Amino acid sequence: MKRICCLFFLIFISAVVTAQPVKRPKLVVGIVVDQMRWDYLYRYYDRYEATGGFKRMLNEGFSCENTFINYIPSYTAIGHTTVFTGSVPALHGIAGNNWIDQATGKNVYCTDDSTVQGVGSNSSAGKMSPRNLLATTITDELRLATNFQSKVIGVSLKDRASILPAGHNPTGAFWFDDANGDFITSTWYMKELPKWVKDFNDKDEPTKLLSSPWTTLYPINTYKQSTADDVKWEGKFKGETTTAFPHNLAELYKTDKDVIRTSPYGNTLTLNFAKAAIEGNNLGGGTATDFLTINCASTDYVGHKYGPNSIEIEDVYLRLDKELGAFYKYLDQKLGKGNYLVFLTADHGAAHAINFMKEYKMPAEFLELKKITTSLNDALKAQFGAEKIVLSNTNYQINFNKKVIRDQKLDYDAIKKASLKFLKDVPELQFVIDVENIGAEPVPEVVKQMTINGYNNKRSGTIQLIPYPAWFEGGYGGTGTTHGTWNPHDTHIPLVWMGWGIKPGKSNREVYMTDIAPPVAALLRIQMPNAAIGKPITEVTQ
């Protein structure tokens, strides 16, 4: 009898032990601040609020100070995909915001999907899905690990920045449609908008947020860039006669519905919608860990128009700091401090405006790729007798018109050789790389590896163009800035962790964008995404 009792006791103890759940946070929040250079953490550090978003993360969390993008081109869709897959374009397939399908020669937008319809909109903005994404995301893996009990929501003004982080089978992905001023989705995810989304849209927040002019949050003479407001290197809204504050957004919104994107209030709208998503889906309130991906995109739109050395971009970050601080306090109250994990990073950085650089006698110039491509096509026509042998220079890559080459029975290798010779004589280009023979190219190893990682043989051109530092594609408007190159201004990004399982501190060890998803997987004790090449950042965890 005593043996039987002991046996039952051991079985009971075993059952109790095996029933203990894996310890995980209630919610993971992955925030990607669009076009946020790493130095923005410190450029405005003395102006950030003590209890705001950025200082709180830096003081309470862990900052990876030397985090780099490890592929080119450094564009939005690739950045968001790489953060959440732990992989690179060569493997996950998102080779740009747009790319040329090498088999058909057609231009492809990263999330276009003609097989789906918009939900909440009749415009083409709704015909989107993650169909072109070839790998799983960390959000996919969380859903798989919990047998789809975990809820995953993606939020952004941009379709690609909502869709790609949320993965293939999330609870929902939502983006903003300028045409109707609403957040929408597609039939890939659902047949109709949830009530919480309809309720949010009914509030017409864009109109309310844009009802007053955009003026500076603090007195304008306190801003670091206050000596330069109306300058030649900044853009203007349509109808404006000056680049200077104030910006009459209410008036502009009457004729330009996407004006909210190029203002700080696009971030306000996004974070308000993120809170609605938490409430509407009870994120963090169930038995399984949930995941919310947020892209603050207005930093990108404002950055493109005004550049890094503007009062406008400074004001956007000071306002975003306050709003992130308020968002974290909301999460503290909703879930309890320490019960959620948050990481903040960027999809890419940005160069200084070229005319700003010239003003201060620093080398920089616009790279007019369309003119270079036209000249190359003229040279190839003279040698091979065919029109438009080069389709495009998308993503700083030369895409050949393989249909023309095939139909006219031209020698592809001879065409490529002639193109390489022509392009290497172009003075604006520092390197011209034959990617199919990259091992033989005399290119610095870091640039070579980034080129390899960014090359997808079905979606990338076979010649990679590398401009000089601070040179970038453009030259048609002469204002603002962009990104896309290998240089640190485009590829040195912030990576700060806070909350559940994170110890305070900093590390100067070099890590990469591909190293973000693996530590999330390790903390959640789930499998890494299926094309991940990154490694866990072990210093981050307690």
mmCIF file of all heavy atoms in Angstrom, residues 30-75:
data_model
loop_
_atom_site.group_PDB
_atom_site.id
_atom_site.type_symbol
_atom_site.label_atom_id
_atom_site.label_comp_id
_atom_site.label_asym_id
_atom_site.label_seq_id
_atom_site.Cartn_x
_atom_site.Cartn_y
_atom_site.Cartn_z
ATOM 1 N N GLY A 30 7.529 45.387 -30.909
ATOM 2 C CA GLY A 30 8.664 45.697 -31.766
ATOM 3 C C GLY A 30 8.409 47.014 -32.475
ATOM 4 O O GLY A 30 7.506 47.097 -33.307
ATOM 5 N N ILE A 31 9.180 48.037 -32.130
ATOM 6 C CA ILE A 31 8.991 49.373 -32.692
ATOM 7 C C ILE A 31 10.124 49.668 -33.670
ATOM 8 O O ILE A 31 11.302 49.595 -33.308
ATOM 9 C CB ILE A 31 8.962 50.455 -31.594
ATOM 10 C CG1 ILE A 31 7.835 50.172 -30.602
ATOM 11 C CG2 ILE A 31 8.808 51.848 -32.207
ATOM 12 C CD1 ILE A 31 7.823 51.104 -29.403
ATOM 13 N N VAL A 32 9.766 49.999 -34.891
ATOM 14 C CA VAL A 32 10.744 50.401 -35.896
ATOM 15 C C VAL A 32 10.464 51.861 -36.241
ATOM 16 O O VAL A 32 9.415 52.185 -36.788
ATOM 17 C CB VAL A 32 10.674 49.520 -37.149
ATOM 18 C CG1 VAL A 32 11.685 49.996 -38.189
ATOM 19 C CG2 VAL A 32 10.933 48.049 -36.797
ATOM 20 N N VAL A 33 11.411 52.736 -35.891
ATOM 21 C CA VAL A 33 11.278 54.157 -36.202
ATOM 22 C C VAL A 33 11.920 54.391 -37.568
ATOM 23 O O VAL A 33 13.123 54.210 -37.735
ATOM 24 C CB VAL A 33 11.942 55.031 -35.128
ATOM 25 C CG1 VAL A 33 11.764 56.511 -35.465
ATOM 26 C CG2 VAL A 33 11.341 54.730 -33.755
ATOM 27 N N ASP A 34 11.107 54.768 -38.517
ATOM 28 C CA ASP A 34 11.534 54.866 -39.912
ATOM 29 C C ASP A 34 12.578 55.971 -40.088
ATOM 30 O O ASP A 34 12.379 57.107 -39.663
ATOM 31 C CB ASP A 34 10.307 55.179 -40.781
ATOM 32 C CG ASP A 34 10.312 54.425 -42.089
ATOM 33 O OD1 ASP A 34 11.299 54.556 -42.819
ATOM 34 O OD2 ASP A 34 9.326 53.709 -42.373
ATOM 35 N N GLN A 35 13.698 55.624 -40.716
ATOM 36 C CA GLN A 35 14.785 56.556 -41.057
ATOM 37 C C GLN A 35 15.472 57.126 -39.822
ATOM 38 O O GLN A 35 16.031 58.214 -39.859
ATOM 39 C CB GLN A 35 14.285 57.697 -41.951
ATOM 40 C CG GLN A 35 15.383 58.359 -42.765
ATOM 41 C CD GLN A 35 14.936 59.584 -43.534
ATOM 42 O OE1 GLN A 35 15.369 60.686 -43.233
ATOM 43 N NE2 GLN A 35 14.087 59.408 -44.526
ATOM 44 N N MET A 36 15.467 56.396 -38.720
ATOM 45 C CA MET A 36 16.131 56.901 -37.514
ATOM 46 C C MET A 36 17.616 56.545 -37.513
ATOM 47 O O MET A 36 18.004 55.389 -37.355
ATOM 48 C CB MET A 36 15.481 56.346 -36.250
ATOM 49 C CG MET A 36 16.075 56.945 -34.982
ATOM 50 S SD MET A 36 15.233 56.408 -33.468
ATOM 51 C CE MET A 36 16.209 57.288 -32.233
ATOM 52 N N ARG A 37 18.442 57.546 -37.719
ATOM 53 C CA ARG A 37 19.883 57.374 -37.578
ATOM 54 C C ARG A 37 20.220 57.068 -36.114
ATOM 55 O O ARG A 37 19.563 57.570 -35.206
ATOM 56 C CB ARG A 37 20.609 58.639 -38.005
ATOM 57 C CG ARG A 37 20.481 59.013 -39.457
ATOM 58 C CD ARG A 37 20.821 60.468 -39.710
ATOM 59 N NE ARG A 37 22.079 60.864 -39.129
ATOM 60 C CZ ARG A 37 23.161 61.258 -39.820
ATOM 61 N NH1 ARG A 37 23.098 61.286 -41.143
ATOM 62 N NH2 ARG A 37 24.262 61.631 -39.203
ATOM 63 N N TRP A 38 21.284 56.283 -35.887
ATOM 64 C CA TRP A 38 21.685 55.954 -34.510
ATOM 65 C C TRP A 38 21.981 57.200 -33.707
ATOM 66 O O TRP A 38 21.629 57.300 -32.527
ATOM 67 C CB TRP A 38 22.914 55.039 -34.534
ATOM 68 C CG TRP A 38 23.563 54.925 -33.192
ATOM 69 C CD1 TRP A 38 23.172 54.135 -32.150
ATOM 70 C CD2 TRP A 38 24.705 55.657 -32.727
ATOM 71 N NE1 TRP A 38 24.000 54.322 -31.064
ATOM 72 C CE2 TRP A 38 24.946 55.246 -31.396
ATOM 73 C CE3 TRP A 38 25.544 56.603 -33.304
ATOM 74 C CZ2 TRP A 38 26.003 55.760 -30.643
ATOM 75 C CZ3 TRP A 38 26.596 57.121 -32.559
ATOM 76 C CH2 TRP A 38 26.811 56.691 -31.232
ATOM 77 N N ASP A 39 22.611 58.201 -34.346
ATOM 78 C CA ASP A 39 23.036 59.367 -33.581
ATOM 79 C C ASP A 39 21.871 60.215 -33.086
ATOM 80 O O ASP A 39 22.060 61.073 -32.220
ATOM 81 C CB ASP A 39 24.021 60.222 -34.388
ATOM 82 C CG ASP A 39 23.448 60.762 -35.685
ATOM 83 O OD1 ASP A 39 22.571 60.112 -36.275
ATOM 84 O OD2 ASP A 39 23.890 61.841 -36.125
ATOM 85 N N TYR A 40 20.659 59.996 -33.580
ATOM 86 C CA TYR A 40 19.503 60.730 -33.064
ATOM 87 C C TYR A 40 19.238 60.394 -31.589
ATOM 88 O O TYR A 40 18.613 61.184 -30.889
ATOM 89 C CB TYR A 40 18.248 60.428 -33.880
ATOM 90 C CG TYR A 40 18.221 61.037 -35.263
ATOM 91 C CD1 TYR A 40 17.276 60.620 -36.192
ATOM 92 C CD2 TYR A 40 19.119 62.020 -35.650
ATOM 93 C CE1 TYR A 40 17.225 61.168 -37.471
ATOM 94 C CE2 TYR A 40 19.084 62.566 -36.923
ATOM 95 C CZ TYR A 40 18.136 62.134 -37.831
ATOM 96 O OH TYR A 40 18.089 62.673 -39.085
ATOM 97 N N LEU A 41 19.704 59.247 -31.128
ATOM 98 C CA LEU A 41 19.570 58.931 -29.704
ATOM 99 C C LEU A 41 20.302 59.956 -28.845
ATOM 100 O O LEU A 41 19.888 60.245 -27.706
ATOM 101 C CB LEU A 41 20.143 57.536 -29.409
ATOM 102 C CG LEU A 41 19.320 56.319 -29.820
ATOM 103 C CD1 LEU A 41 20.126 55.053 -29.559
ATOM 104 C CD2 LEU A 41 17.986 56.265 -29.107
ATOM 105 N N TYR A 42 21.397 60.480 -29.383
ATOM 106 C CA TYR A 42 22.257 61.364 -28.593
ATOM 107 C C TYR A 42 22.289 62.798 -29.109
ATOM 108 O O TYR A 42 22.617 63.713 -28.354
ATOM 109 C CB TYR A 42 23.675 60.780 -28.543
ATOM 110 C CG TYR A 42 23.671 59.422 -27.892
ATOM 111 C CD1 TYR A 42 23.751 58.259 -28.650
ATOM 112 C CD2 TYR A 42 23.535 59.300 -26.508
ATOM 113 C CE1 TYR A 42 23.711 57.008 -28.047
ATOM 114 C CE2 TYR A 42 23.489 58.049 -25.907
ATOM 115 C CZ TYR A 42 23.582 56.911 -26.676
ATOM 116 O OH TYR A 42 23.529 55.677 -26.077
ATOM 117 N N ARG A 43 21.948 63.014 -30.349
ATOM 118 C CA ARG A 43 21.928 64.379 -30.883
ATOM 119 C C ARG A 43 20.971 65.256 -30.080
ATOM 120 O O ARG A 43 21.241 66.424 -29.827
ATOM 121 C CB ARG A 43 21.529 64.369 -32.355
ATOM 122 C CG ARG A 43 21.448 65.772 -32.957
ATOM 123 C CD ARG A 43 21.064 65.754 -34.422
ATOM 124 N NE ARG A 43 22.156 65.248 -35.241
ATOM 125 C CZ ARG A 43 22.224 65.439 -36.561
ATOM 126 N NH1 ARG A 43 21.293 66.111 -37.186
ATOM 127 N NH2 ARG A 43 23.231 64.949 -37.258
ATOM 128 N N TYR A 44 19.819 64.667 -29.700
ATOM 129 C CA TYR A 44 18.808 65.418 -28.957
ATOM 130 C C TYR A 44 18.673 64.930 -27.511
ATOM 131 O O TYR A 44 17.692 65.241 -26.842
ATOM 132 C CB TYR A 44 17.446 65.292 -29.666
ATOM 133 C CG TYR A 44 17.508 65.536 -31.153
ATOM 134 C CD1 TYR A 44 17.043 64.575 -32.051
ATOM 135 C CD2 TYR A 44 18.041 66.718 -31.667
ATOM 136 C CE1 TYR A 44 17.105 64.796 -33.423
ATOM 137 C CE2 TYR A 44 18.107 66.944 -33.025
ATOM 138 C CZ TYR A 44 17.643 65.975 -33.909
ATOM 139 O OH TYR A 44 17.714 66.188 -35.258
ATOM 140 N N TYR A 45 19.661 64.188 -27.031
ATOM 141 C CA TYR A 45 19.543 63.544 -25.716
ATOM 142 C C TYR A 45 19.243 64.549 -24.603
ATOM 143 O O TYR A 45 18.383 64.300 -23.749
ATOM 144 C CB TYR A 45 20.831 62.783 -25.387
ATOM 145 C CG TYR A 45 20.771 62.023 -24.076
ATOM 146 C CD1 TYR A 45 20.224 60.740 -24.025
ATOM 147 C CD2 TYR A 45 21.247 62.598 -22.898
ATOM 148 C CE1 TYR A 45 20.160 60.046 -22.827
ATOM 149 C CE2 TYR A 45 21.185 61.906 -21.703
ATOM 150 C CZ TYR A 45 20.643 60.632 -21.665
ATOM 151 O OH TYR A 45 20.563 59.961 -20.479
ATOM 152 N N ASP A 46 19.930 65.695 -24.620
ATOM 153 C CA ASP A 46 19.733 66.669 -23.547
ATOM 154 C C ASP A 46 18.367 67.348 -23.621
ATOM 155 O O ASP A 46 17.954 68.020 -22.672
ATOM 156 C CB ASP A 46 20.841 67.720 -23.565
ATOM 157 C CG ASP A 46 20.916 68.492 -24.867
ATOM 158 O OD1 ASP A 46 20.460 67.952 -25.895
ATOM 159 O OD2 ASP A 46 21.433 69.627 -24.868
ATOM 160 N N ARG A 47 17.651 67.123 -24.729
ATOM 161 C CA ARG A 47 16.333 67.732 -24.901
ATOM 162 C C ARG A 47 15.204 66.721 -24.694
ATOM 163 O O ARG A 47 14.040 67.107 -24.601
ATOM 164 C CB ARG A 47 16.204 68.355 -26.288
ATOM 165 C CG ARG A 47 17.346 69.298 -26.623
ATOM 166 C CD ARG A 47 16.907 70.390 -27.561
ATOM 167 N NE ARG A 47 15.971 71.294 -26.911
ATOM 168 C CZ ARG A 47 15.028 71.985 -27.557
ATOM 169 N NH1 ARG A 47 14.883 71.838 -28.854
ATOM 170 N NH2 ARG A 47 14.232 72.789 -26.901
ATOM 171 N N TYR A 48 15.542 65.435 -24.666
ATOM 172 C CA TYR A 48 14.524 64.425 -24.394
ATOM 173 C C TYR A 48 14.079 64.526 -22.945
ATOM 174 O O TYR A 48 14.868 64.876 -22.059
ATOM 175 C CB TYR A 48 15.057 63.015 -24.665
ATOM 176 C CG TYR A 48 15.326 62.707 -26.125
ATOM 177 C CD1 TYR A 48 16.406 61.905 -26.490
ATOM 178 C CD2 TYR A 48 14.499 63.195 -27.127
ATOM 179 C CE1 TYR A 48 16.652 61.603 -27.826
ATOM 180 C CE2 TYR A 48 14.751 62.896 -28.467
ATOM 181 C CZ TYR A 48 15.834 62.096 -28.809
ATOM 182 O OH TYR A 48 16.070 61.812 -30.124
ATOM 183 N N GLU A 49 12.829 64.202 -22.687
ATOM 184 C CA GLU A 49 12.298 64.246 -21.329
ATOM 185 C C GLU A 49 12.935 63.156 -20.465
ATOM 186 O O GLU A 49 13.199 62.044 -20.946
ATOM 187 C CB GLU A 49 10.784 64.069 -21.343
ATOM 188 C CG GLU A 49 10.032 65.246 -21.937
ATOM 189 C CD GLU A 49 8.533 65.120 -21.727
ATOM 190 O OE1 GLU A 49 8.053 63.990 -21.548
ATOM 191 O OE2 GLU A 49 7.860 66.161 -21.746
ATOM 192 N N ALA A 50 13.134 63.459 -19.197
ATOM 193 C CA ALA A 50 13.760 62.498 -18.276
ATOM 194 C C ALA A 50 12.956 61.211 -18.188
ATOM 195 O O ALA A 50 13.514 60.120 -18.045
ATOM 196 C CB ALA A 50 13.926 63.127 -16.901
ATOM 197 N N THR A 51 11.631 61.329 -18.272
ATOM 198 C CA THR A 51 10.768 60.145 -18.203
ATOM 199 C C THR A 51 10.142 59.826 -19.555
ATOM 200 O O THR A 51 9.154 59.116 -19.632
ATOM 201 C CB THR A 51 9.648 60.371 -17.164
ATOM 202 O OG1 THR A 51 8.897 61.549 -17.532
ATOM 203 C CG2 THR A 51 10.225 60.543 -15.777
ATOM 204 N N GLY A 52 10.721 60.396 -20.602
ATOM 205 C CA GLY A 52 10.195 60.145 -21.941
ATOM 206 C C GLY A 52 10.580 58.782 -22.466
ATOM 207 O O GLY A 52 11.075 57.918 -21.730
ATOM 208 N N GLY A 53 10.408 58.606 -23.759
ATOM 209 C CA GLY A 53 10.620 57.288 -24.342
ATOM 210 C C GLY A 53 12.069 56.908 -24.513
ATOM 211 O O GLY A 53 12.506 55.836 -24.082
ATOM 212 N N PHE A 54 12.867 57.795 -25.140
ATOM 213 C CA PHE A 54 14.238 57.430 -25.465
ATOM 214 C C PHE A 54 15.122 57.351 -24.224
ATOM 215 O O PHE A 54 15.901 56.406 -24.067
ATOM 216 C CB PHE A 54 14.813 58.418 -26.480
ATOM 217 C CG PHE A 54 14.139 58.359 -27.826
ATOM 218 C CD1 PHE A 54 13.526 59.478 -28.360
ATOM 219 C CD2 PHE A 54 14.084 57.177 -28.549
ATOM 220 C CE1 PHE A 54 12.902 59.434 -29.602
ATOM 221 C CE2 PHE A 54 13.466 57.105 -29.781
ATOM 222 C CZ PHE A 54 12.869 58.243 -30.307
ATOM 223 N N LYS A 55 15.026 58.344 -23.334
ATOM 224 C CA LYS A 55 15.854 58.302 -22.127
ATOM 225 C C LYS A 55 15.472 57.135 -21.226
ATOM 226 O O LYS A 55 16.337 56.507 -20.611
ATOM 227 C CB LYS A 55 15.744 59.621 -21.361
ATOM 228 C CG LYS A 55 16.726 60.680 -21.815
ATOM 229 C CD LYS A 55 16.741 61.872 -20.893
ATOM 230 C CE LYS A 55 17.796 62.875 -21.341
ATOM 231 N NZ LYS A 55 17.763 64.110 -20.529
ATOM 232 N N ARG A 56 14.195 56.846 -21.143
ATOM 233 C CA ARG A 56 13.785 55.706 -20.318
ATOM 234 C C ARG A 56 14.395 54.418 -20.859
ATOM 235 O O ARG A 56 14.918 53.603 -20.086
ATOM 236 C CB ARG A 56 12.259 55.597 -20.263
ATOM 237 C CG ARG A 56 11.819 54.372 -19.476
ATOM 238 C CD ARG A 56 10.327 54.268 -19.290
ATOM 239 N NE ARG A 56 9.982 52.989 -18.701
ATOM 240 C CZ ARG A 56 8.742 52.579 -18.447
ATOM 241 N NH1 ARG A 56 7.714 53.370 -18.712
ATOM 242 N NH2 ARG A 56 8.528 51.385 -17.914
ATOM 243 N N MET A 57 14.354 54.242 -22.166
ATOM 244 C CA MET A 57 14.912 53.021 -22.741
ATOM 245 C C MET A 57 16.421 52.947 -22.508
ATOM 246 O O MET A 57 16.955 51.894 -22.164
ATOM 247 C CB MET A 57 14.599 52.949 -24.233
ATOM 248 C CG MET A 57 13.132 52.739 -24.554
ATOM 249 S SD MET A 57 12.855 52.163 -26.248
ATOM 250 C CE MET A 57 13.254 50.418 -26.082
ATOM 251 N N LEU A 58 17.099 54.071 -22.708
ATOM 252 C CA LEU A 58 18.553 54.078 -22.532
ATOM 253 C C LEU A 58 18.960 53.883 -21.076
ATOM 254 O O LEU A 58 19.986 53.264 -20.789
ATOM 255 C CB LEU A 58 19.130 55.383 -23.071
ATOM 256 C CG LEU A 58 19.124 55.541 -24.596
ATOM 257 C CD1 LEU A 58 19.462 56.973 -24.992
ATOM 258 C CD2 LEU A 58 20.073 54.560 -25.259
ATOM 259 N N ASN A 59 18.168 54.406 -20.137
ATOM 260 C CA ASN A 59 18.510 54.321 -18.718
ATOM 261 C C ASN A 59 18.055 53.022 -18.066
ATOM 262 O O ASN A 59 18.739 52.481 -17.192
ATOM 263 C CB ASN A 59 17.920 55.517 -17.962
ATOM 264 C CG ASN A 59 18.558 56.833 -18.373
ATOM 265 O OD1 ASN A 59 19.705 56.861 -18.816
ATOM 266 N ND2 ASN A 59 17.828 57.926 -18.247
ATOM 267 N N GLU A 60 16.897 52.529 -18.470
ATOM 268 C CA GLU A 60 16.364 51.303 -17.868
ATOM 269 C C GLU A 60 16.672 50.061 -18.687
ATOM 270 O O GLU A 60 16.632 48.950 -18.163
ATOM 271 C CB GLU A 60 14.844 51.414 -17.703
ATOM 272 C CG GLU A 60 14.387 52.474 -16.717
ATOM 273 C CD GLU A 60 12.870 52.481 -16.555
ATOM 274 O OE1 GLU A 60 12.223 51.492 -16.991
ATOM 275 O OE2 GLU A 60 12.336 53.445 -16.002
ATOM 276 N N GLY A 61 16.962 50.247 -19.968
ATOM 277 C CA GLY A 61 17.126 49.114 -20.862
ATOM 278 C C GLY A 61 18.562 48.871 -21.275
ATOM 279 O O GLY A 61 19.504 49.308 -20.613
ATOM 280 N N PHE A 62 18.721 48.177 -22.396
ATOM 281 C CA PHE A 62 20.048 47.808 -22.904
ATOM 282 C C PHE A 62 20.175 48.326 -24.327
ATOM 283 O O PHE A 62 19.321 48.063 -25.175
ATOM 284 C CB PHE A 62 20.237 46.291 -22.885
ATOM 285 C CG PHE A 62 21.662 45.871 -23.109
ATOM 286 C CD1 PHE A 62 22.479 45.553 -22.029
ATOM 287 C CD2 PHE A 62 22.198 45.803 -24.382
ATOM 288 C CE1 PHE A 62 23.800 45.171 -22.220
ATOM 289 C CE2 PHE A 62 23.517 45.432 -24.591
ATOM 290 C CZ PHE A 62 24.323 45.111 -23.505
ATOM 291 N N SER A 63 21.249 49.070 -24.579
ATOM 292 C CA SER A 63 21.471 49.655 -25.898
ATOM 293 C C SER A 63 22.643 48.989 -26.593
ATOM 294 O O SER A 63 23.753 48.926 -26.050
ATOM 295 C CB SER A 63 21.734 51.157 -25.780
ATOM 296 O OG SER A 63 21.952 51.727 -27.058
ATOM 297 N N CYS A 64 22.401 48.485 -27.785
ATOM 298 C CA CYS A 64 23.462 47.949 -28.650
ATOM 299 C C CYS A 64 23.935 49.104 -29.526
ATOM 300 O O CYS A 64 23.303 49.425 -30.541
ATOM 301 C CB CYS A 64 22.937 46.795 -29.489
ATOM 302 S SG CYS A 64 22.332 45.399 -28.514
ATOM 303 N N GLU A 65 25.034 49.733 -29.129
ATOM 304 C CA GLU A 65 25.449 51.016 -29.699
ATOM 305 C C GLU A 65 26.001 50.903 -31.112
ATOM 306 O O GLU A 65 26.019 51.891 -31.846
ATOM 307 C CB GLU A 65 26.490 51.671 -28.795
ATOM 308 C CG GLU A 65 25.978 51.996 -27.401
ATOM 309 C CD GLU A 65 25.100 53.241 -27.396
ATOM 310 O OE1 GLU A 65 25.630 54.344 -27.234
ATOM 311 O OE2 GLU A 65 23.872 53.097 -27.577
ATOM 312 N N ASN A 66 26.476 49.739 -31.478
ATOM 313 C CA ASN A 66 27.045 49.562 -32.813
ATOM 314 C C ASN A 66 26.272 48.492 -33.577
ATOM 315 O O ASN A 66 26.778 47.391 -33.839
ATOM 316 C CB ASN A 66 28.525 49.200 -32.722
ATOM 317 C CG ASN A 66 29.389 50.411 -32.433
ATOM 318 O OD1 ASN A 66 29.453 51.335 -33.246
ATOM 319 N ND2 ASN A 66 30.017 50.437 -31.273
ATOM 320 N N THR A 67 25.038 48.835 -33.906
ATOM 321 C CA THR A 67 24.178 47.944 -34.689
ATOM 322 C C THR A 67 24.155 48.427 -36.128
ATOM 323 O O THR A 67 23.903 49.608 -36.387
ATOM 324 C CB THR A 67 22.744 47.931 -34.123
ATOM 325 O OG1 THR A 67 22.795 47.560 -32.743
ATOM 326 C CG2 THR A 67 21.880 46.938 -34.884
ATOM 327 N N PHE A 68 24.428 47.520 -37.052
ATOM 328 C CA PHE A 68 24.539 47.891 -38.458
ATOM 329 C C PHE A 68 23.652 47.021 -39.347
ATOM 330 O O PHE A 68 23.424 45.842 -39.067
ATOM 331 C CB PHE A 68 25.994 47.764 -38.934
ATOM 332 C CG PHE A 68 26.896 48.836 -38.405
ATOM 333 C CD1 PHE A 68 27.533 48.676 -37.179
ATOM 334 C CD2 PHE A 68 27.098 50.015 -39.112
ATOM 335 C CE1 PHE A 68 28.366 49.665 -36.675
ATOM 336 C CE2 PHE A 68 27.924 51.014 -38.613
ATOM 337 C CZ PHE A 68 28.562 50.838 -37.394
ATOM 338 N N ILE A 69 23.179 47.623 -40.411
ATOM 339 C CA ILE A 69 22.567 46.868 -41.510
ATOM 340 C C ILE A 69 23.693 46.169 -42.251
ATOM 341 O O ILE A 69 24.743 46.769 -42.517
ATOM 342 C CB ILE A 69 21.800 47.828 -42.440
ATOM 343 C CG1 ILE A 69 20.584 48.416 -41.709
ATOM 344 C CG2 ILE A 69 21.386 47.139 -43.728
ATOM 345 C CD1 ILE A 69 19.881 49.526 -42.464
ATOM 346 N N ASN A 70 23.500 44.907 -42.609
ATOM 347 C CA ASN A 70 24.577 44.134 -43.238
ATOM 348 C C ASN A 70 24.234 43.687 -44.656
ATOM 349 O O ASN A 70 24.598 42.595 -45.098
ATOM 350 C CB ASN A 70 24.959 42.930 -42.370
ATOM 351 C CG ASN A 70 23.766 42.062 -41.996
ATOM 352 O OD1 ASN A 70 22.618 42.456 -42.169
ATOM 353 N ND2 ASN A 70 24.042 40.879 -41.475
ATOM 354 N N TYR A 71 23.539 44.541 -45.393
ATOM 355 C CA TYR A 71 23.212 44.288 -46.800
ATOM 356 C C TYR A 71 23.017 45.638 -47.478
ATOM 357 O O TYR A 71 22.903 46.686 -46.822
ATOM 358 C CB TYR A 71 21.909 43.466 -46.920
ATOM 359 C CG TYR A 71 20.753 44.167 -46.248
ATOM 360 C CD1 TYR A 71 20.065 45.197 -46.876
ATOM 361 C CD2 TYR A 71 20.385 43.850 -44.934
ATOM 362 C CE1 TYR A 71 19.047 45.881 -46.222
ATOM 363 C CE2 TYR A 71 19.383 44.531 -44.283
ATOM 364 C CZ TYR A 71 18.717 45.552 -44.936
ATOM 365 O OH TYR A 71 17.730 46.246 -44.296
ATOM 366 N N ILE A 72 22.986 45.635 -48.779
ATOM 367 C CA ILE A 72 22.515 46.778 -49.555
ATOM 368 C C ILE A 72 21.537 46.247 -50.603
ATOM 369 O O ILE A 72 21.626 45.078 -50.995
ATOM 370 C CB ILE A 72 23.675 47.553 -50.239
ATOM 371 C CG1 ILE A 72 24.628 46.609 -50.975
ATOM 372 C CG2 ILE A 72 24.365 48.440 -49.276
ATOM 373 C CD1 ILE A 72 25.714 47.334 -51.737
ATOM 374 N N PRO A 73 20.572 47.092 -50.982
ATOM 375 C CA PRO A 73 20.344 48.497 -50.658
ATOM 376 C C PRO A 73 19.593 48.660 -49.334
ATOM 377 O O PRO A 73 18.813 47.793 -48.950
ATOM 378 C CB PRO A 73 19.489 48.996 -51.825
ATOM 379 C CG PRO A 73 18.692 47.783 -52.233
ATOM 380 C CD PRO A 73 19.617 46.617 -52.025
ATOM 381 N N SER A 74 19.838 49.777 -48.654
ATOM 382 C CA SER A 74 19.237 50.010 -47.334
ATOM 383 C C SER A 74 17.909 50.761 -47.486
ATOM 384 O O SER A 74 17.855 51.982 -47.319
ATOM 385 C CB SER A 74 20.214 50.790 -46.449
ATOM 386 O OG SER A 74 20.771 51.886 -47.147
ATOM 387 N N TYR A 75 16.873 49.989 -47.800
ATOM 388 C CA TYR A 75 15.542 50.555 -48.030
ATOM 389 C C TYR A 75 14.525 50.014 -47.022
ATOM 390 O O TYR A 75 14.760 49.008 -46.340
ATOM 391 C CB TYR A 75 15.066 50.259 -49.456
ATOM 392 C CG TYR A 75 15.794 51.051 -50.521
ATOM 393 C CD1 TYR A 75 16.227 50.430 -51.688
ATOM 394 C CD2 TYR A 75 16.041 52.412 -50.362
ATOM 395 C CE1 TYR A 75 16.890 51.151 -52.673
ATOM 396 C CE2 TYR A 75 16.700 53.135 -51.342
ATOM 397 C CZ TYR A 75 17.128 52.499 -52.502
ATOM 398 O OH TYR A 75 17.785 53.216 -53.471
#
